[in-house]
């Protein structure tokens, strides 16, 4: 007999999504304390769903739980950013290659690009960019590979949020997205995966340069 995990109660899910959105749109900043009573009052719920939501977010890497400091938004430093993006470099281009060779639909990626281009603020643009990357790998044909990328998706988005707050580079990333999709739609798996690899690697290098680069983010 198999047992499915119990669904998250609706109030907990509501708080979880609201806090995640606030973190990934920089309304809640890295290092900021997440006080249960304040969040409960903000969302009109008891402390229980807030506590459960924060535990779940800690499991995804967006929140840090400390016995002494309580819950805080995870800090982003160069080591954390490179760790997350290294995993993306290992997995995401391969997932895209498989999506292309399978002839998977990339319509969702096109829609995400259009949504990002028409976004009215950086929060909506950031969320659309996340959807674009997910659309590239979601139909790769390997559910485990997709889940592994989903598991680091929020952490990658947190890195992007912090990097863009310091050095906005929306137009450059948007142009790279368009080129990746153009190559993917043309069925050129090698060129598309190469462009995606460069896109991921160059972003984290610009945002968190190696020490020997002297801190140049140009």
């Amino acid at each position: 007999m198999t047992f499915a995990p119990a669904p998250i109660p609706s109030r907990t899910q509501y708080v979880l999504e609201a806090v995640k959105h606030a973190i990934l749109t920089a309304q809640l900043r890295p290092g900021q304390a997440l006080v249960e009573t304040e969040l409960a009052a903000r969302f009109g719920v008891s402390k229980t769903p807030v506590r459960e939501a924060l535990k779940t977010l800690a499991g995804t890497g967006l929140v840090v739980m400390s016995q002494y400091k309580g819950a805080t938004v995870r800090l982003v430093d160069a080591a954390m950013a490179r760790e997350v993006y290294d995993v993306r470099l290992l997995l995401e281009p391969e997932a895209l290659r498989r999506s292309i060779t399978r002839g998977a639909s990339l319509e969702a990626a096109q829609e995400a690009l259009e949504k990002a281009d028409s976004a009215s603020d950086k929060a909506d643009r950031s969320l659309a960019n996340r959807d674009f990357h997910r659309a590239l790998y979601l139909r790769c044909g390997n559910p485990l590979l997709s889940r592994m990328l989903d598991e680091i998706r929020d952490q990658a988005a947190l890195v992007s949020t912090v990097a863009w707050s310091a050095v906005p580079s929306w137009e450059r990333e948007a142009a790279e997205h368009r080129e990746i999709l153009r190559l993917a739609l043309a069925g050129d798996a090698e060129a598309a995966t190469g462009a995606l690899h460069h896109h991921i690697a160059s972003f984290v290098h610009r945002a968190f340069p190696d020490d020997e680069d002297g801190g140049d983010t140009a």
Side-chain angles (χ1 to χ4, degrees):
M1 183 175 180
T2 59
F3 294 89
I8 298 176
S10 58
R11 289 188 179 182
T12 299
Q13 186 67 42
Y14 166 70
V15 174
L16 188 156
E17 294 300 331
V19 173
K20 179 193 292 188
H21 185 273
I23 292 172
L24 297 181
T25 55
Q27 297 173 50
L28 293 171
R29 302 279 182 172
Q32 184 171 339
L34 300 170
V35 182
E36 289 181 9
T37 53
E38 293 178 358
L39 292 174
R42 177 174 175 176
F43 300 120
V45 298
S46 68
K47 290 198 300 182
T48 299
V50 172
R51 186 177 304 116
E52 294 305 312
L54 293 179
K55 288 179 181 178
T56 300
L57 290 170
T60 67
L62 289 183
V63 169
V64 175
M65 307 287 284
S66 168
Q67 180 179 353
Y68 304 104
K69 295 183 179 181
T72 57
V73 180
R74 183 175 183 177
L75 289 169
V76 175
D77 57 18
M80 178 269 194
R82 291 175 192 144
E83 180 180 282
V84 171
Y85 272 61
D86 185 47
V87 175
R88 288 188 68 190
L89 284 170
L90 290 171
L91 300 181
E92 198 168 325
E94 173 60 19
L96 173 60
R97 184 188 69 78
R98 294 186 179 204
S99 294
I100 295 170
T101 56
R102 295 181 71 242
S105 171
L106 294 173
E107 182 179 352
Q110 181 65 57
E111 292 174 353
L113 267 186
E114 294 171 358
K115 186 176 179 180
D117 288 340
S118 62
S120 58
D121 57 42
K122 65 180 182 180
D124 287 342
R125 191 180 297 114
S126 177
L127 294 173
N129 284 340
R130 295 179 69 220
D131 290 341
F132 171 78
H133 277 276
R134 189 168 191 261
L136 296 181
Y137 67 73
L138 189 61
R139 298 181 181 276
C140 68
N142 185 324
L144 178 57
L145 179 55
S146 296
R147 286 198 299 272
M148 291 172 70
L149 284 163
D150 274 349
E151 286 176 3
I152 63 166
R153 185 170 175 243
D154 289 343
Q155 295 179 59
L158 180 59
V159 171
S160 298
T161 298
V162 171
W164 280 323
S165 295
V167 184
S169 53
W170 300 106
E171 293 183 359
R172 178 169 181 166
E173 271 88 53
E176 291 174 353
H177 284 174
R178 285 190 285 272
E179 178 63 6
I180 292 166
L181 183 58
R182 183 188 71 80
L183 293 167
L185 290 173
D188 192 338
E190 182 176 355
T193 55
L196 178 59
H197 188 282
H198 174 75
H199 170 71
I200 296 170
S202 62
F203 179 82
V204 74
H205 179 74
R206 288 195 306 272
F208 300 92
D210 296 331
D211 293 338
E212 57 265 27
D213 291 338
D216 181 11
T217 58

